[in-house]
């Protein structure tokens, strides 16, 4: 109890006394902090300095709660005015960011600082100087020399700025989505879930295993609480937190065992972790690091640039010398370079430099890199709509290579909507007992209720539920048991907690697969204590030497009786039920003190209370998703902590165990068996395992390590297995039921915990890689065709078919838009019919080279024919024939966009009408080309074409479709990596 008075100096004096004695402690509190009886400085020092003395002077946690106007049972008032007042006085639970969402002008300025852009600007300036010196005010020549390169620079800057700006916005959206982390608190007497960033000083927060401490605070009550503070210190030892020796909880610490309630004392930048973030600018989610795929594309782009530069130098040198040959005055053909003026070579060198600058701009890799970046960003946005939050962009390319998926069961393959299907008292179901016995033994019911209500980390909030006036919180298993007890046995959880004191708790974890509690009846003066155990049925059964029948009588459990119980457990498990057993032991007070001292509960000679069969139905859509994964060449392994028979039944229902697999030796195995194998034996057997039951995190880790040693690319889905998620090539954590620690250790968060969403992630990973290959094929076709056509024409006729402006138009407008159109292709079912792509396989495959060469040869052939014979065949002038060549070349690229949609399929129009973005971009390309030809004569140096010429261009370009279909009938060998 806390009492306080105020003296004339504004000093608050608090008198506190505890239940254990009548001693009083007088505490002097500093001046009020905006209405509260304690200021932020004292609150900060309590946790950061672990100041037990000051805490005792304040009256312990009770005294601090009083100063913060917090009711230890009901929390803070929780009104909007109260929350706002606390945020004004003590701050909000957010971290100050030195980097905010950047504006578009910021990325424009950043783009101009790029070394490629700076080189291009220098080349453009040099070209302009040459043009002005040589041609004076001739706009056309000046434009040819430098203006077009400036346009190229502006286009590259615009594309780069747009891509970076969009990516920045998407990353900001992802960052805000990642902050959507909820935690349990109690306010106004009601337990509820809120975002961790809505936590305020004075809140009472519930912590359980796997949670991350959301703010600095003080331990109120709980059991077996251990935290990992490695995020703030190099020491990775687990720290025990309790009320007496160490009641201090620091923000960002990870709860690795136990459960507790904490009183929040500091939030946001007032915590040590918040200060660290502020000072070190820990913006890890917004890093702009290149993925391996982006690095490979950059390497490819620079290779294209080098080849283009080399070809251009040859082209310009040849062009220079061919222009200095001709007929002399006597009609003889030969070189008269020796008769040229003295400054002609200098002018030629200037021309070569200007031309080289042009090719640097047209063959710049920035466009290709921009499209890759935009593809990844676009995929990130689309995957968010599919309930996929991608932490690491590199996960996209890893997903295309996945060969094995290790998936958990609960909530992923199943609905995670658990319900107690049946309960066995003794060796009879409860419904059968109720029909033959007027009433079940009240003593037995009381013991069962103790085991359900008190041997749990979960809680109930009164007055906010439709179920017996309570709303239950916690894991689905615990909520199923609590709901069953409330409905079937009329459990009053609040009364039970008032009547019994919890003396010691052994919390549940995935290693023990059971939890225990030692309790004492507050009204019982005999000193007798009760030990309750709950957990995996076969493990609890092994600890029992007797059992209660429905009348409450204790019966010895001999070998025959034990076999009957084992058969009951196996029958429930075979039906797909999770079997949970309850056991009880009465101990003396002296024995209880000894157990508390040893920090372990009695685990032998227990009496079995009952068996509960919990149903968790499979998701209806899972079987189809599993079949798609099998068709895609991936193996699926279910790793679960459930009974081996339960695991087998669920695996059969989901299609993971196919016909013939269930009878194959080694397809279903328990974790302990797998763990006890030698490394050699594990390596031999790991491929055959389809189901690993009764597994621990260590078993999962061993399996992933074995699969990786065998060269498999492994994806793992999990809820609380952070080490396994980090070990896998791709870690997928559950968004709804996964712990915050698991989410931070994963690459992708499955927001709806659904296996079909995991299959969608695999499909998207393949889609991103496939789309990048499509526009690489598209870009290669443009680049090779452009270089070869200009090279052949220049050597043959000393004229360049494609002018500077036209080259810019092809590479920076048509090429970029075509690549963007291909980047919008959604994932298709065809992707799941292909085998996984190895991580070291070539980015450009033999199939892509086949497609590229076919289109390049076709385009070179028809354009060179037009170059040499177009004027005479169509009766066109030289200028109009050049326009015809340019228009045909552009339309060939637009038609080729459709060919690039399918790398192997002959029908390139399948589902094209469903992708309105693709059709919209292609429509824009056509519209821009019409505008270029008909209205921008000055820019492109083009002539208007009549309807016949347009029809000719379209007919020639359309020829790329049958060429593309025919060439796909030619099989090609795979290139060796």
């Amino acid at each position: 109890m806390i009492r306080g008075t105020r003296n004339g100096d504004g000093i608050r004096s608090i008198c506190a006394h505890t239940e254990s004695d009548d001693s009083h402690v007088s505490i002097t509190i500093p001046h009020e902090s905006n209405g509260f009886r304690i200021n932020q400085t004292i609150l900060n020092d309590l946790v950061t300095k672990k100041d037990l003395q000051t805490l005792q002077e304040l009256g312990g946690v009770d005294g601090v709660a009083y100063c913060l106007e917090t009711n230890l049972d009901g929390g803070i008032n929780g009104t909007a005015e109260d929350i706002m007042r606390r945020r004004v006085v003590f701050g909000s639970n957010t971290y100050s960011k030195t980097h905010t969402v950047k504006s578009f002008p910021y990325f424009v300025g950043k783009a101009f600082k790029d070394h490629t852009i700076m080189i291009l600007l220098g080349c453009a300036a040099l070209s302009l100087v040459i043009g002005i010196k040589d041609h004076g005010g001739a706009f056309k020549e000046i434009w040819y020399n430098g203006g077009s390169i400036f346009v190229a620079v502006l286009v590259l800057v615009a594309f780069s700025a747009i891509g970076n700006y969009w990516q920045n916005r998407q990353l900001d959206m992802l960052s805000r989505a990642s902050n959507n982390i909820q935690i349990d608190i109690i306010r106004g007497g009601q337990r509820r879930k809120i975002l961790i960033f809505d936590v305020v000083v004075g809140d009472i927060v519930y912590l359980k295993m796997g949670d991350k401490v959301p703010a600095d605070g003080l331990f109120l009550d709980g059991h077996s609480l251990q935290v990992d503070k490695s995020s703030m210190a190099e020491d990775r030892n687990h720290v025990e937190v309790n009320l007496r020796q160490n009641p201090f909880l620091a923000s960002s610490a990870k709860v690795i065992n136990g459960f507790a309630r904490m009183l929040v004392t500091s939030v946001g930048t007032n915590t040590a972790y918040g200060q660290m973030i502020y000072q070190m600018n820990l913006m890890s989610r917004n890093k702009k690091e290149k993925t391996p795929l982006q690095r490979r594309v950059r390497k490819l782009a620079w290779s294209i640039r080098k080849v283009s530069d080399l070809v251009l130098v040859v082209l310009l040198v040849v062009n220079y010398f061919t222009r200095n040959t001709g007929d002399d005055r006597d009609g003889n053909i030969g070189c008269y370079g020796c008769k040229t003026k003295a400054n002609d070579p200098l002018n030629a060198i200037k021309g070569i430099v200007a031309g080289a600058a042009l090719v640097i701009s047209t063959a710049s890799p920035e466009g290709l890199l921009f499209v890759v970046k935009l593809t990844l960003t676009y995929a990130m946005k689309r995957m968010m709509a599919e309930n996929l939050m991608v932490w690491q962009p590199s996960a996209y390319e890893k997903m295309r290579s996945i060969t094995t998926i290790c998936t958990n069961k609960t909530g992923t393959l199943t609905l995670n909507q658990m319900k107690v299907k049946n309960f066995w008292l003794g060796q009879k179901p409860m419904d059968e007992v109720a029909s033959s016995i007027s009433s079940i033994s009240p003593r037995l019911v009381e013991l069962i209720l103790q085991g359900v209500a008190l041997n749990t980390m979960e809680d109930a909030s009164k007055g906010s539920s439709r179920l017996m006036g309570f709303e239950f919180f916690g894991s689905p298993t615990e909520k199923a048991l609590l709901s069953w007890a409330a409905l079937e046995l009329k459990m009053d959880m609040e009364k039970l907690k008032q009547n019994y004191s919890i003396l010691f708790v052994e919390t549940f974890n995935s290693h023990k697969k059971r939890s225990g509690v030692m309790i004492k009846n507050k009204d019982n003066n005999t000193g007798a204590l009760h030990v309750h155990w709950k957990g995996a049925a076969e493990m609890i059964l092994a600890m029992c030497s007797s059992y209660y029948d429905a009348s409450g009588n204790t019966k010895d459990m001999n070998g025959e009786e034990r076999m009957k119980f084992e058969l009951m457990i196996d029958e429930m498990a075979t039906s797909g039920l999770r079997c949970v057993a309850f056991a009880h032991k009465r101990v003396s007070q002296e024995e209880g003190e000894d157990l508390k001292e040893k920090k372990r509960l009695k685990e032998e000679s227990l009496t079995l209370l009952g068996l509960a069969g919990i149903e968790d139905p499979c998701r209806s859509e899972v079987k189809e998703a599993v079949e798609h994964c099998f068709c895609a060449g991936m193996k699926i392994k279910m790793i679960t902590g459930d009974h081996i028979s339960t695991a087998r039944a669920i695996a059969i229902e989901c299609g993971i165990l196919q016909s013939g697999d269930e009878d194959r030796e080694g397809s279903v195995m328990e974790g302990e068996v797998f763990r006890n194998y030698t490394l050699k034996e594990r390596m031999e057997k790991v491929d055959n395992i389809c189901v690993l039951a009764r597994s621990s995190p260590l078993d999962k880790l061993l399996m992933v390590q074995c699969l990786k040693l065998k060269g498999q690319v492994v994806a793992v889905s999990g809820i609380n297995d952070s080490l396994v998620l980090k070990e896998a090539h791709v870690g997928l954590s559950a968004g709804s039921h996964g712990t915050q620690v698991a989410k931070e250790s994963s690459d992708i968060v499955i927001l709806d915990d659904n296996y079909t969403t995991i299959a969608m992630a695999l499909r998207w990973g393949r889609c991103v890689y496939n789309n990048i290959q499509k526009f690489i094929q598209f870009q290669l076709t443009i680049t090779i065709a452009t270089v070869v056509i200009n090279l052949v024409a220049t050597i043959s006729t000393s004229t360049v078919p494609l002018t500077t402006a036209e080259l810019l138009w092809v590479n920076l407008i048509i090429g970029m838009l075509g690549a963007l159109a291909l980047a919008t292709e959604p994932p298709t079912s065809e992707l799941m019919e292909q085998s996984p792509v190895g991580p070291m396989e070539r980015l450009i495959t033999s199939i892509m080279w086949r497609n590229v060469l076919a289109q390049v040869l076709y385009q070179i052939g028809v354009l060179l024919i037009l170059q040499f014979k177009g004027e005479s065949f169509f009766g066109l002038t030289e200028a109009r024939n050049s326009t015809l060549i340019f228009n045909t070349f552009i339309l060939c690229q637009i038609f080729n966009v459709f060919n690039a949609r399918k790398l192997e399929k002959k029908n390139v129009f399948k589902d094209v009408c469903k992708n309105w973005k693709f059709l919209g971009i292609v429509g824009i390309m056509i519209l821009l080309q019409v505008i270029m030809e008909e209205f921008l004569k000055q820019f492109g140096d083009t002539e208007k074409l009549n309807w016949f010429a347009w029809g000719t261009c379209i007919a020639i370009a359309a020829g790329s479709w049958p060429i593309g279909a025919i060439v796909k009938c030619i099989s090609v060998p795979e290139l060796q990596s």
Side-chain angles (χ1 to χ4, degrees):
M1 177 179 175
I2 309 292
R3 296 192 302 271
T5 58
R6 182 187 299 275
N7 60 27
D9 296 325
I11 304 296
R12 169 76 63 178
S13 177
I14 298 177
C15 182
H17 70 84
T18 65
E19 296 180 359
S20 58
D21 55 44
D22 294 329
S23 60
H24 292 71
V25 181
S26 295
I27 310 155
T28 301
I29 302 296
H31 288 277
E32 292 184 356
S33 178
N34 292 332
F36 291 95
R37 303 173 183 87
I38 194 169
N39 60 45
Q40 185 65 62
T41 302
I42 295 177
L43 291 172
N44 287 352
D45 291 345
L46 280 177
V47 177
T48 56
K49 296 181 179 179
K50 295 186 176 181
D51 195 344
L52 274 173
Q53 181 178 351
T54 300
L55 181 61
Q56 292 172 357
E57 291 174 354
L58 290 170
V61 180
D62 291 356
V64 175
Y66 173 77
C67 295
L68 292 174
E69 300 178 10
T70 300
N71 184 292
L72 294 181
D73 294 322
I76 63 175
N77 181 282
T79 62
E81 294 78 9
D82 183 39
I83 299 297
M84 182 57 66
R85 181 169 68 110
R86 292 174 186 274
R87 285 181 179 153
V88 170
V89 176
F90 300 113
S92 63
N93 199 28
T94 54
Y95 306 123
S96 297
K97 297 180 180 179
T98 56
H99 296 288
T100 58
V101 180
K102 305 297 190 303
S103 63
F104 182 74
Y106 168 84
F107 291 106
V108 172
K110 185 177 179 181
F112 271 111
K113 296 177 183 178
D114 183 81
H115 69 279
T116 301
I117 300 298
M118 296 176 72
I119 291 173
L120 289 174
L121 286 173
C123 292
L126 179 61
S127 299
L128 281 176
V129 171
I130 294 172
I132 294 172
K133 180 180 177 181
D134 292 345
H135 305 288
F139 172 80
K140 185 174 181 179
E141 296 298 333
I142 295 175
W143 165 259
Y144 177 82
N145 279 271
S148 56
I149 300 179
F150 268 121
V151 172
V153 170
L154 294 177
V155 171
L156 286 174
V157 167
F159 277 136
S160 178
I162 291 170
N164 286 322
Y165 176 72
W166 190 25
Q167 185 182 47
N168 181 261
R169 298 291 297 182
Q170 294 303 311
L171 288 171
D172 178 67
M173 179 187 71
L174 179 63
S175 178
R176 284 187 277 110
S178 68
N179 292 336
N180 190 28
I181 304 165
Q182 293 187 324
I183 197 161
D184 286 342
I185 65 160
I186 187 166
R187 285 180 181 172
Q190 298 294 324
R191 182 164 169 173
R192 66 188 72 174
K193 287 183 178 292
I194 65 169
L195 297 176
I196 62 170
F197 297 103
D198 291 333
V199 170
V200 295
V201 170
D203 265 329
I204 293 178
V205 175
Y206 291 82
L207 300 174
K208 62 181 182 298
M209 187 173 63
D211 282 343
K212 196 171 182 179
V213 180
D216 286 357
L218 299 171
F219 178 94
L220 279 178
D221 51 48
H223 294 278
S224 306
L225 186 67
Q226 290 183 321
V227 297
D228 177 3
K229 300 175 66 177
S230 58
S231 59
M232 289 289 293
E234 293 184 0
D235 184 12
R236 292 185 176 273
N237 293 328
H238 298 161
V239 179
E240 184 173 348
V241 182
N242 51 51
L243 194 58
R244 293 186 178 181
Q245 290 87 7
N246 180 30
F248 307 107
L249 285 159
S251 176
S252 83
K254 302 169 185 176
V255 180
I256 51 102
N257 194 32
F259 60 95
R261 293 193 310 155
M262 67 169 280
L263 173 67
V264 176
T265 57
S266 298
V267 295
T269 53
N270 289 320
T271 66
Y273 182 70
Q275 283 294 314
M276 183 178 71
I277 289 182
Y278 178 76
Q279 294 169 6
M280 298 179 64
N281 291 332
L282 295 181
M283 305 295 292
S284 59
R285 295 301 178 199
N286 289 330
K287 288 182 180 177
K288 304 295 189 301
E289 296 178 355
K290 298 286 187 299
T291 70
L293 181 59
Q294 286 176 303
R295 289 194 290 269
R296 291 175 70 184
V297 172
R298 175 177 285 274
K299 184 178 179 181
L300 170 65
W302 279 99
S303 299
I304 294 173
R305 171 183 285 180
K306 290 176 183 177
V307 173
S308 300
D309 288 349
L310 178 63
V311 171
L312 180 70
V313 170
V314 173
L315 184 151
L316 292 172
V317 171
V318 170
N319 191 28
Y320 167 69
F321 283 106
T322 55
R323 283 187 303 175
N324 283 280
T325 62
D327 299 340
D328 61 17
R329 293 177 182 177
D330 298 326
N332 300 317
I333 299 175
C335 178
Y336 54 91
C338 58
K339 299 178 182 180
T340 58
K341 298 178 181 179
N343 64 342
D344 282 351
L346 180 61
N347 291 333
I349 293 173
K350 293 177 181 177
I352 291 173
V353 171
L358 170 63
V359 168
I360 290 176
S361 64
T362 57
S364 173
E366 295 303 318
L368 195 57
L369 294 172
F370 158 74
V371 176
V372 172
K373 183 184 294 184
L374 214 58
T375 300
L376 295 175
T377 307
Y378 174 77
M380 182 186 299
K381 182 177 181 180
R382 289 294 305 274
M383 289 178 75
M384 279 292 291
E386 300 283 356
N387 292 311
L388 289 160
M389 187 190 302
V390 182
W391 286 128
Q392 303 295 337
S394 60
Y396 289 116
E397 53 196 284
K398 293 178 185 175
M399 290 299 282
R400 83 183 193 274
S401 304
I402 295 298
T403 57
T404 304
I405 305 173
C406 297
T407 179
N408 60 324
K409 176 186 76 71
T410 304
T412 303
L413 299 173
T414 62
L415 291 170
N416 209 18
Q417 297 174 0
M418 298 190 183
K419 181 181 179 181
V420 176
K421 189 73 173 178
N422 53 46
F423 194 94
W424 291 67
L425 291 172
Q427 296 179 358
K428 294 184 179 180
M430 180 174 282
D431 53 357
E432 184 179 329
V433 172
S435 63
S436 60
I437 301 176
S438 58
S439 63
I440 303 170
S441 167
R443 177 171 172 268
L444 180 57
V445 171
E446 178 70 13
L447 290 174
I448 293 173
L449 292 178
Q450 291 175 15
V452 172
L454 302 179
N455 185 13
T456 177
M457 294 188 297
E458 316 309 338
D459 204 351
S461 177
K462 190 172 182 180
S464 60
S465 173
R466 303 168 187 170
L467 182 64
M468 302 295 293
F470 282 90
E471 179 181 3
F472 296 107
F473 294 86
S475 69
T477 303
E478 295 283 13
K479 287 195 287 187
L481 291 169
L482 291 169
S483 300
W484 168 80
L487 284 171
E488 299 294 333
L489 303 181
K490 311 303 179 186
M491 177 185 70
D492 187 338
M493 193 168 183
E494 186 176 359
K495 183 179 179 181
L496 282 167
K497 291 196 170 188
Q498 289 175 351
N499 292 340
Y500 291 91
S501 298
I502 297 176
L503 304 179
F504 183 74
V505 172
E506 283 197 33
T507 56
F508 179 91
N509 61 47
S510 53
H511 294 281
K512 298 184 299 184
K513 300 193 184 303
R514 60 183 182 272
S515 62
V517 64
M518 184 163 61
I519 61 174
K520 175 184 178 182
N521 191 329
K522 295 178 180 179
D523 298 330
N524 191 345
N525 297 322
T526 62
L529 307 178
H530 296 276
V531 172
H532 283 275
W533 281 100
K534 175 186 67 181
E538 71 275 15
M539 295 184 178
I540 298 296
L541 183 65
M543 297 160 58
C544 296
S545 60
S546 59
Y547 69 95
Y548 288 105
D549 63 13
S551 302
N553 300 318
T554 304
K555 295 186 176 181
D556 291 334
M557 190 182 296
N558 54 34
E560 183 179 352
E561 299 293 329
R562 188 176 298 275
M563 287 183 62
K564 290 181 180 179
F565 281 109
E566 290 173 351
L567 182 61
M568 290 159 50
I569 293 170
D570 193 58
E571 286 178 352
M572 280 193 281
T574 304
S575 301
L577 300 181
R578 172 178 290 184
C579 195
V580 177
F582 296 85
H584 164 260
K585 178 72 176 179
R586 188 169 178 172
V587 298
S588 65
Q589 189 165 357
E590 293 76 14
E591 189 176 4
E593 291 296 329
D594 183 57
L595 292 173
K596 284 180 63 178
E597 186 70 24
K598 295 177 179 178
K599 294 187 176 181
R600 59 179 297 272
L601 296 178
K602 198 170 184 64
E603 297 184 354
E604 65 278 344
S605 302
L606 304 180
T607 303
L608 185 68
L609 287 171
L611 301 171
I614 302 176
E615 180 184 41
D616 187 12
C618 286
R619 296 179 184 268
S620 59
E621 66 275 15
V622 162
K623 193 167 186 177
E624 183 180 357
V626 169
E627 290 176 357
H628 288 162
C629 291
F630 281 135
C631 292
M634 289 176 281
K635 297 179 180 178
I636 301 174
K637 300 181 186 297
M638 186 178 82
I639 307 177
T640 178
D642 282 343
H643 189 279
I644 189 169
S645 297
T646 306
R648 181 186 286 109
I650 296 296
I652 293 172
E653 187 177 352
C654 294
I656 293 174
L657 271 178
Q658 299 178 317
S659 58
D661 286 343
E662 53 185 301
D663 299 325
R664 192 180 71 244
E665 183 179 357
S667 61
V668 182
M669 187 179 294
E670 288 192 340
E672 184 179 2
V673 177
F674 181 74
R675 187 190 320 140
N676 292 331
Y677 282 140
T678 63
L679 177 60
K680 182 179 179 181
E681 290 173 327
R682 284 198 293 267
M683 294 292 287
E684 291 174 353
K685 297 178 181 296
V686 69
D687 282 336
N688 291 328
I689 298 174
C690 296
V691 178
L692 194 67
R694 285 294 183 232
S695 62
S696 67
L698 174 61
D699 303 327
K700 297 180 184 180
L701 186 62
L702 288 174
M703 174 168 278
V704 172
Q705 289 172 342
C706 287
L707 290 169
K708 290 176 69 176
L709 287 173
K710 291 182 75 69
Q712 302 285 335
V713 182
V714 187
V716 172
S717 67
I719 295 176
N720 192 32
D721 305 318
S722 56
L723 287 178
V724 184
L725 292 170
K726 286 182 178 179
E727 181 68 23
H729 292 99
V730 178
L732 303 111
S733 62
S736 301
H737 299 92
T739 65
Q740 181 58 22
V741 177
K743 293 175 186 177
E744 292 183 352
S745 303
S746 63
D747 301 290
I748 300 175
V749 179
I750 310 298
L751 298 177
D752 60 356
D753 301 0
N754 195 336
Y755 186 84
T756 55
T757 308
I758 297 177
M760 181 58 69
L762 294 166
R763 186 176 295 184
W764 264 108
R766 294 187 173 197
C767 177
V768 169
Y769 185 77
N770 194 246
N771 286 350
I772 290 174
Q773 285 186 312
K774 289 175 184 177
F775 62 68
I776 286 176
Q777 173 182 297
F778 177 74
Q779 187 67 46
L780 279 175
T781 303
I782 294 177
T783 303
I784 295 174
T786 302
V787 171
V788 173
I789 290 169
N790 274 354
L791 181 62
V792 172
T794 301
I795 293 175
S796 303
T797 65
S798 300
T799 58
V800 180
L802 299 176
T803 66
T804 303
E806 290 169 349
L807 282 172
L808 291 171
W809 187 261
V810 172
N811 284 277
L812 297 181
I813 304 299
I814 301 302
M816 194 76 71
L817 289 175
L820 285 176
L822 295 170
T824 64
E825 285 290 301
T828 62
S829 57
E830 296 171 358
L831 294 171
M832 300 302 280
E833 297 172 1
Q834 304 169 2
S835 299
V837 179
M840 300 306 295
E841 288 193 20
R842 290 178 178 271
L843 187 60
I844 306 177
T845 65
S846 56
I847 292 172
M848 294 168 63
W849 279 120
R850 178 198 65 190
N851 299 339
V852 168
L853 292 176
Q855 295 298 326
V856 165
L857 290 174
Y858 175 71
Q859 292 177 20
I860 291 173
V862 297
L863 293 180
L864 288 179
I865 291 173
L866 291 176
Q867 173 72 13
F868 296 118
K869 300 295 181 180
E871 294 179 31
S872 59
F873 187 81
F874 293 103
L876 301 174
T877 63
E878 181 181 354
R880 201 172 294 275
N881 188 57
S882 296
T883 301
L884 182 72
I885 292 173
F886 170 62
N887 198 42
T888 301
F889 185 61
I890 293 296
L891 291 177
C892 280
Q893 311 317 320
I894 294 175
F895 277 75
N896 193 39
V897 172
F898 289 86
N899 286 324
R901 288 186 69 241
K902 307 290 182 182
L903 298 179
E904 297 184 66
K905 300 291 183 181
K906 298 181 183 66
N907 182 10
V908 297
F909 305 106
K910 184 179 180 181
D911 297 328
V912 69
C913 294
K914 296 180 181 179
N915 189 355
W916 61 269
K917 292 180 181 177
F918 177 88
L919 295 176
I921 294 174
V922 170
I924 291 173
M925 294 166 66
I926 296 172
L927 178 62
L928 288 175
Q929 181 59 19
V930 172
I931 294 173
M932 175 72 171
E933 289 289 352
E934 301 298 325
F935 304 104
L936 297 179
K937 290 178 57 180
Q938 190 67 32
F939 177 83
D941 193 20
T942 59
E943 298 286 338
K944 284 190 176 183
L945 298 176
N946 57 32
W947 287 106
F948 176 76
W950 270 100
T952 302
C953 295
I954 293 172
I956 294 174
S960 64
W961 286 348
I963 294 293
I966 293 170
V967 78
K968 288 175 183 176
C969 297
I970 304 173
S971 60
V972 291
E974 288 293 333
L975 295 174
Q976 296 298 319
S977 300

